[in-house]
Amino acid sequence: MKKEFYDALIQLTEEKNVLTDEPLKNHVTFRVGGAADYFVSPESAEEVQKIILLCKEAGIPYYILGNGSNLLVSDQGYRGVIIQIYKSMSEISVKGEFVTAQAGALLSAIAAKAAGESLAGFEFASGIPGTIGGAAVMNAGAYGGEMKDVLEQVTVLTKEGELLTIPREELDMGYRTSKVAKNQYIVLEAVIHLAHGEKEKIREKMNELKEKRTTKQPLEYPSAGSTFKRPEGYFVGKLIEEAGLRGFQVGGAQVSEKHCGFVINKDNATAAEVRELIRQVSERVKANSGVTLEPEVKMLGEF
Ligand SMILES: Cc1cc2nc3c(=O)[nH]c(=O)nc-3n(C[C@H](O)[C@H](O)[C@H](O)COP(=O)(O)OP(=O)(O)OC[C@H]3O[C@@H](n4cnc5c(N)ncnc54)[C@H](O)[C@@H]3O)c2cc1C
């Protein structure tokens, strides 16, 4: 650990926001992964900007983390700075039909706020366990809705540390990707455009979708949601099941018996076991059906 670098970091944000040798498994929903050299939780856009500029200057890599709900971190962890944009940057405000949220706000919190203001159109996102920053990058979606349907504009930091506001027509969002992802921008804030609706109906819809998730998804185990992207014209779960892989296990990692599209951490899995399971599932699905499965889950660190 470089003392000068740590000292420089604590000049940019409060000392309590800078951790060293921090186990990443405590910050990702898969509950696997080694430690990060530095783990910083900035409290403002300015702090994020200063921290990335410091990293660049010092030649130390950084990685942005939201709620870690789409991430597999290697057992060796991360040699660099994890910049967590989550609870300490999670303010939400509403003006008319527009909801402005800092990137660390959880989709569930935004959905609850929108429902409270009788704003409809965000129900689809209420059960996705990510931040709006992560969701904007990934163009997260569920039950027929996607972030691209509701995002009005996104404020980002470029790799050079420049602030940009990108309007919806320039966001270039596709299936689980966006211009933000392609350019490795850091999302700081998003504005969502919703429509006035009936509070009761909005809440009913959210409850209905929650019920669907609870019955269909293995929420009782740690995971990162759907492990693979949906290949056009197919259902991942069905392809995996047809390859005879329901319940297939590598060490503590398992293809969920409840929903084959989810790899779960059944019993203290290592990241290497999860990675190997993903590899074997892809290989066997390809052999069985000819369809190539690509991971939706992002990988961080060495595998
Ligand atoms: C039980 C379960 C159910 C799920 N269901 C769904 C679903 O229905 N639909 C769906 O789309 N996803 C689903 N997911 C996956 C996940 O919740 C989404 O992909 C979510 O958008 C990830 O957000 P996050 O904040 O957790 O991002 P993270 O996992 O922390 O990061 C994901 C990626 O986004 C980047 N990132 C995060 N924040 C920022 C930021 N502020 N600026 C720039 N880059 C950033 C990271 O660098 C990383 O590359 C599910 C996951 C779980 C565990």
Side-chain angles (χ1 to χ4, degrees):
M1 214 68 52
K2 291 187 198 153
K3 170 109 175 45
E4 317 86 79
F5 186 72
Y6 175 82
D7 288 343
L9 275 174
I10 61 170
Q11 297 302 310
L12 304 182
T13 183
E14 279 191 49
E15 193 166 351
K16 69 170 173 50
N17 300 336
V18 183
L19 305 175
T20 54
D21 212 13
E22 175 65 11
L24 290 175
K25 69 172 171 196
N26 298 340
H27 302 279
V28 297
T29 57
F30 239 137
R31 298 281 176 257
V32 297
D37 290 346
Y38 305 91
F39 187 95
V40 190
S41 307
E43 295 184 24
S44 67
E46 294 71 38
E47 287 189 6
V48 177
Q49 192 174 29
K50 286 180 186 160
I51 291 164
I52 67 156
L53 290 173
L54 173 70
C55 291
K56 278 177 84 97
E57 215 178 271
I60 296 186
Y62 63 85
Y63 190 84
I64 305 296
L65 178 73
N67 189 32
S69 64
N70 201 35
L71 206 58
L72 177 62
V73 180
S74 116
D75 297 312
Q76 283 70 46
Y78 184 65
R79 304 286 72 79
V81 184
I82 295 290
I83 303 176
Q84 187 197 42
I85 301 187
Y86 184 31
K87 286 183 185 157
S88 45
M89 283 181 66
S90 60
E91 274 168 33
I92 306 168
S93 63
V94 179
K95 207 170 185 189
E97 294 183 334
F98 294 92
V99 181
T100 302
Q102 282 187 305
L106 282 172
L107 298 172
S108 55
I110 298 172
K113 181 93 172 176
E117 301 280 337
S118 305
L119 289 173
F122 207 66
E123 299 88 332
F124 78 90
S126 57
I128 303 176
T131 61
I132 184 86
V137 175
M138 301 285 304
N139 187 22
Y143 304 114
E146 278 179 295
M147 290 308 296
K148 77 174 171 57
D149 307 332
V150 293
L151 277 177
E152 183 64 22
Q153 67 174 48
V154 175
T155 302
V156 301
L157 260 187
T158 66
K159 278 200 276 184
E160 290 69 41
E162 196 189 338
L163 270 176
L164 277 186
T165 295
I166 312 174
R168 65 180 309 153
E169 54 280 8
E170 288 172 26
L171 282 169
D172 211 4
M173 298 181 92
Y175 177 62
R176 301 293 174 265
T177 186
S178 64
K179 179 177 185 170
V180 176
K182 284 175 203 141
N183 291 312
Q184 294 177 358
Y185 291 153
I186 300 173
V187 180
L188 296 172
E189 188 184 275
V191 178
I192 298 158
H193 189 181
L194 302 174
H196 284 293
E198 280 176 50
K199 199 175 286 186
E200 274 321 301
K201 282 201 176 146
I202 298 167
R203 294 214 162 115
E204 234 171 70
K205 176 97 188 173
M206 279 165 56
N207 286 335
E208 187 195 312
L209 296 182
K210 188 174 174 188
E211 178 68 26
K212 270 195 190 168
R213 274 186 194 270
T214 323
T215 15
K216 299 237 164 87
Q217 301 182 354
L219 302 181
E220 56 282 19
Y221 289 105
S223 80
S226 299
T227 315
F228 300 96
K229 291 184 183 167
R230 178 169 31 80
E232 194 129 6
Y234 296 94
F235 289 106
V236 173
K238 196 156 177 278
L239 290 170
I240 295 176
E241 181 165 13
E242 284 168 2
L245 295 169
R246 182 181 289 274
F248 176 63
Q249 216 159 326
V250 173
Q254 189 192 45
V255 170
S256 162
E257 294 186 27
K258 192 167 172 186
H259 186 321
C260 292
F262 278 56
V263 169
I264 57 169
N265 179 358
K266 177 99 188 284
D267 185 15
N268 290 313
T270 62
E273 288 165 354
V274 176
R275 184 71 191 97
E276 177 58 16
L277 181 68
I278 291 175
R279 195 192 65 72
Q280 290 197 32
V281 168
S282 309
E283 196 175 272
R284 289 169 66 172
V285 165
K286 178 82 180 173
N288 188 58
S289 60
V291 180
T292 304
L293 289 184
E294 271 180 49
E296 173 169 327
V297 171
K298 304 270 180 200
M299 317 258 172
L300 176 64
E302 278 180 32
F303 282 94

